[in-house]
Amino acid sequence: MSIDNILAQATSLAVKSLYGLEMPADKIVPTTTKKEFEGNLTIVVFPFLKASHKRAEDTAQEIGEYLVANCEAVEKFNVIKGFLNIVIKPSFWTTVLQSVAADPNFGFKQVNDSSKLVMIEYSSPNTNKPLHLGHVRNNLLGFSLSKIMEANGNKVVKTNIVNDRGIHICKSMLAWLKWGNGITPEIAGKKGDHLIGDFYVEFDKHFKAEVKELMTQGMSQEEAEREAPLIKEAHDMLKKWEDGDAQVRKLWSTMNDWVYAGFDETYKRMGVDFDKIYYESDTYLEGKEKVLEGLDKGMFYRKDDGSVWADLTSDGLDQKLLLRSDGTSVYMTQDIGTAKLRFQDYPIEQMIYVVGNEQNYHFQVLSLLLDKLGFKWGKDLIHFSYGMVELPNGKMKSREGTVVDADDLMNEMINTAREVSKDRNVEMSEDERENVMRIIGLGALKYFILKVDPRKNMLFNPQESIDFNGNTGPFVQYTYARIQSVLRKSNPDDASTDFTAYRPNEKEVALIQRLTDFATVVAEAGRTYSPALVANYVFELSKAYNQFYHDYGILKEEDAIVRAFRLSLSKTVAGIVKRGFALLGIEVPERM
RNA sequence: GGUUCGGUAGCUCAGCUGAAUAGAGCAACAGACUUCUAAUCUGUGGGUCGCGGGUUUGAGUCCCGCCCGAAUCACCA
């Protein structure tokens, strides 16, 4: 049990015994005492005044006296206005450190057979272009969320739904046929996803030219965009694809395989993975079935033109199209189909979709529809909605060439890490150096993205935003590397020295207190689906450690007991930093 | 217009279920390396928490209204 709980329970007993007030312990939340006052934890006594019928100061005084007399851990207290500042016995903190140090799973809940099964969908790329900065945010959030859910005792299945069919894919295919001259990723010396992306752009270029030409001949823009020969060809191709035309299907699968090879490389570099991948080409027909089933049961209705709709007006929403008049699927239908397959494959108890906030309405509707269709988790599905990444001159626009490519970005970050560290002389092999630069570069990128509240749009300034000092990934990584250096140089005998009798000083107590916060933060991050909480916590912990490191010697300390204590403290901090960063999908280097 | 989400220091952001004088980082300025890693540490300046009401002993936080910004409201995905 944590010190917070102990104190809360003792206080609960105190107000019961002093004032006859029934106040459950979980309603009393001791806070960390502000650093300008003496004390470790503070209890605000205002809520008790109605029962005590005394002034705030007197009430605090009485509770303080009760705690000193009845609570083992409390040493003394002071009162300022309605704030009861409590000093915990220093010896108590030593025990706390020992228990945290001894528990490699401190703060995590066990996953077992009866754990809840949570499926998390993230990434969800299209196969017509490479991953960009928006996907980076998505991937990092999704992966981190899966780690956080696991740490909170859930079984997690990470999944990805690949949008591998549709008109946009046909555009790339068509462009490749027309202008590709049989080129392959091998011949081009280029990742497959980038190659296909180039053809998508190529299509757009020619298409625009055609539209422009038709418009000079007097067509309106909409008309021209509909009548352009290229788009007609693309539509023909889509029709052939849907009819299962062997040639088109073969080209389709070849080109998609190129893209998947490219994606795999990017995912691997980024450090994210999936337990199960679904493809829209497999799921879109399933959705249609499910919708027709719903139509039979009278949940949906058919218009005169044959299209099928859901009426959601009673839920405060609109009419929503589910099948086109020609019987083909729309986006919503596909998501229903995917849900159906997933439900067949796994006993899902909770579903989390990591998808951008431009889809908020879509998921509101999806939740209602899945619920109507009888999916247990439909009503309570979580749309983990995150904001867009903006650039200094606005949004990313592929047409204007302002898309930040994921592969380029990661390479740039690693190069920056090399640049920043070129004057440092930490000895390591070339292989290790390369790996460390990778860890630091990616760490900077991941931390930068994950420390921000996911709901907010975030600004990415390639020149200025990525810093390696201050509140950054490398700052935290440095703290870890620094501790490892100390541990490497320490005397093994110190590790076995008993320091139970040691009474830690103020800075040390503050650090231990921070360490115990880890459990609270992990739980809170799980409850609110917030990697940012973990990121900010690990930063605070690192900062507290760096202050301690600056003020006190560790190996330099002559007293063997103090030395042993500080080594244990350092080692424990490093452990929590490493585990905290692991929740974010960020690695830590042994030296840097 | 409807719905959803944002607005905190010059910039980028914290601020959990209400609590002490609203905090970090960057940028600016001034300091600390013969020392366990200075990617560090210390200090200074910088705020009408979008605006106005309300609830409360107490509001950046909760409620109402307004202003500004974003997303969305397709037989696109």
Side-chain angles (χ1 to χ4, degrees):
Chain A
M1 183 162 35
S2 79
I3 181 66
D4 292 42
N5 290 339
I6 291 171
L7 208 55
Q9 293 203 349
T11 307
S12 177
L13 289 174
V15 295
K16 175 94 195 321
S17 136
L18 292 168
Y19 314 122
L21 178 65
E22 294 287 351
M23 179 76 77
D26 58 1
K27 294 277 179 221
I28 302 170
V29 184
T31 55
T32 305
T33 306
K34 296 199 125 201
K35 51 178 175 286
E36 51 269 42
F37 304 111
E38 189 194 16
N40 309 121
L41 291 160
T42 296
I43 290 166
V44 182
V45 302
F46 291 113
F48 314 137
L49 297 189
K50 271 191 182 128
S52 74
H53 302 293
K54 288 182 181 151
R55 296 191 315 144
E57 287 86 337
D58 299 339
T59 308
Q61 183 70 29
E62 285 180 352
I63 296 172
E65 282 164 11
Y66 180 96
L67 291 178
V68 169
N70 296 290
C71 184
E72 189 69 28
V74 175
E75 178 165 86
K76 55 182 179 175
F77 69 95
N78 64 81
V79 174
I80 294 166
K81 291 191 276 183
F83 299 90
L84 172 58
N85 299 323
I86 292 158
V87 177
I88 303 297
K89 284 181 187 150
S91 57
F92 184 87
W93 292 114
T94 310
T95 318
V96 170
L97 173 62
Q98 282 167 333
S99 73
V100 175
D103 181 2
N105 285 313
F106 173 73
F108 286 9
K109 291 185 194 76
Q110 210 75 40
V111 178
N112 55 42
D113 289 345
S114 61
S115 296
K116 186 160 131 184
L117 190 134
V118 179
M119 180 178 266
I120 301 181
E121 172 193 300
Y122 71 100
S123 202
S124 315
N126 287 352
T127 54
N128 65 333
K129 53 189 171 209
L131 303 177
H132 57 68
L133 184 50
H135 294 109
V136 173
R137 191 177 194 188
N138 181 306
N139 291 343
L140 298 180
L141 284 170
F143 185 79
S144 174
L145 200 55
S146 74
K147 291 289 164 207
I148 290 171
M149 294 311 282
E150 258 166 18
N152 278 282
N154 298 289
K155 273 184 284 185
V156 173
V157 177
K158 289 168 285 183
T159 185
N160 188 355
I161 171 78
V162 179
N163 182 359
D164 63 341
R165 61 168 284 280
I167 190 72
H168 50 291
I169 314 295
C170 292
K171 289 178 183 175
S172 294
M173 286 159 63
L174 194 57
W176 184 86
L177 280 177
K178 283 187 180 298
W179 307 295
N181 296 317
I183 199 166
T184 64
E186 288 75 29
I187 295 170
K190 202 171 220 178
K191 283 177 73 215
D193 50 339
H194 287 261
L195 185 69
I196 298 301
D198 291 347
F199 281 108
Y200 189 71
V201 171
E202 194 71 12
F203 176 93
D204 203 55
K205 218 169 74 189
H206 286 87
F207 172 65
K208 287 270 163 51
E210 284 186 1
V211 169
K212 201 173 164 194
E213 175 61 26
L214 290 171
M215 283 169 73
T216 58
Q217 293 170 19
M219 277 193 193
S220 71
Q221 184 164 346
E222 295 101 89
E223 206 179 345
E225 282 175 358
R226 211 170 43 237
E227 295 302 322
L230 271 176
I231 198 71
K232 286 188 153 176
E233 269 189 82
H235 273 118
D236 285 347
M237 194 180 245
L238 180 61
K239 186 81 178 55
K240 280 188 185 166
W241 183 92
E242 291 194 349
D243 292 342
D245 179 284
Q247 258 187 319
V248 170
R249 285 286 180 141
K250 184 153 187 298
L251 176 62
W252 171 75
S253 78
T254 303
M255 288 178 71
N256 271 347
D257 284 346
W258 293 347
V259 173
Y260 298 145
F263 283 173
D264 283 349
E265 221 175 289
T266 306
Y267 286 139
K268 199 172 169 203
R269 187 117 219 243
M270 207 176 287
V272 305
D273 56 20
F274 304 94
D275 302 305
K276 173 80 182 172
I277 297 180
Y278 290 90
Y279 298 91
E280 223 170 78
S281 52
D282 296 328
T283 66
Y284 80 111
L285 292 174
E286 299 282 344
K288 186 172 171 176
E289 232 174 78
K290 202 78 191 164
V291 168
L292 291 175
E293 200 182 302
L295 183 66
D296 282 345
K297 292 183 184 160
M299 293 174 203
F300 310 132
Y301 68 96
R302 199 188 277 278
K303 283 192 181 173
D304 292 342
D305 63 5
S307 56
V308 176
W309 296 73
D311 180 2
L312 302 172
T313 47
S314 61
D315 295 292
L317 300 176
D318 240 323
Q319 316 280 331
K320 189 75 193 174
L321 176 82
L322 298 178
L323 288 176
R324 295 193 188 96
S325 47
D326 63 4
T328 56
S329 304
V330 291
Y331 182 31
M332 189 62 72
T333 331
Q334 290 161 19
D335 260 350
I336 292 171
T338 309
K340 181 185 161 190
L341 284 188
R342 284 172 173 164
F343 200 54
Q344 283 170 7
D345 294 345
Y346 298 92
I348 300 171
E349 289 168 83
Q350 186 183 22
M351 183 73 214
I352 303 178
Y353 294 87
V354 180
V355 181
N357 63 9
E358 72 268 20
Q359 307 286 351
N360 285 355
Y361 182 70
H362 175 81
F363 281 98
Q364 232 178 313
V365 173
L366 183 65
S367 171
L368 286 172
L369 292 177
L370 290 179
D371 185 53
K372 278 181 203 289
L373 290 167
F375 293 94
K376 264 183 243 166
W377 42 270
K379 192 89 191 164
D380 300 316
L381 72 80
I382 306 276
H383 173 206
F384 182 91
S385 163
Y386 62 91
M388 332 213 96
V389 185
E390 285 162 5
L391 300 173
N393 39 5
K395 281 183 202 137
M396 289 191 284
K397 293 197 178 109
S398 45
R399 286 177 218 153
E400 292 167 24
T402 56
V403 173
V404 177
D405 178 78
D407 296 314
D408 293 349
L409 179 59
M410 288 191 283
N411 288 334
E412 265 172 51
M413 292 303 302
I414 293 166
N415 283 333
T416 309
R418 285 196 195 100
E419 187 59 30
V420 168
S421 64
K422 69 178 190 303
D423 294 329
R424 300 175 63 81
N425 50 359
V426 178
E427 284 208 17
M428 49 181 124
S429 69
E430 261 326 291
D431 282 357
E432 182 179 4
R433 187 173 306 278
E434 267 312 290
N435 192 40
V436 169
M437 291 309 115
R438 181 188 65 79
I439 290 173
I440 296 172
L442 291 181
L445 174 63
K446 291 180 180 185
Y447 185 87
F448 178 76
I449 288 177
L450 291 174
K451 75 173 175 184
V452 180
D453 183 338
R455 282 170 306 181
K456 292 186 176 174
N457 286 1
M458 62 176 291
L459 184 74
F460 182 82
N461 185 332
Q463 271 79 47
E464 295 167 24
S465 290
I466 296 303
D467 208 323
F468 287 71
N469 302 313
N471 186 357
T472 65
F475 172 92
V476 174
Q477 291 171 324
Y478 179 74
T479 310
Y480 178 85
R482 180 184 238 186
I483 294 173
Q484 294 313 305
S485 174
V486 172
L487 294 177
R488 275 193 297 272
K489 289 178 182 166
S490 68
N491 183 340
D493 293 345
D494 285 338
S496 52
T497 302
D498 179 36
F499 56 83
T500 310
Y502 179 63
R503 294 167 62 92
N505 66 41
E506 257 178 74
K507 277 235 159 69
E508 289 162 344
V509 167
L511 252 184
I512 296 170
Q513 223 177 327
R514 276 253 175 264
L515 281 172
T516 62
D517 287 343
F518 185 59
T520 320
V521 168
V522 171
E524 186 67 9
R527 200 177 63 76
T528 59
Y529 311 106
S530 177
L533 229 49
V534 176
N536 286 309
Y537 164 78
V538 178
F539 171 65
E540 292 294 335
L541 178 65
S542 299
K543 206 165 52 153
Y545 183 81
N546 281 329
Q547 284 164 6
F548 159 77
Y549 179 91
H550 181 265
D551 291 353
Y552 300 97
I554 301 166
L555 301 178
K556 286 182 292 192
E557 172 58 45
E558 286 177 10
D559 186 323
I561 292 176
V562 183
R563 203 163 59 233
F565 168 83
R566 289 184 182 161
L567 274 169
S568 174
L569 179 59
S570 300
K571 192 176 177 185
T572 310
V573 168
I576 297 291
V577 163
K578 185 174 188 171
R579 290 172 58 218
F581 254 32
L583 291 178
L584 302 174
I586 305 178
E587 298 170 67
V588 286
E590 294 305 305
R591 60 192 117 222
M592 67 187 273

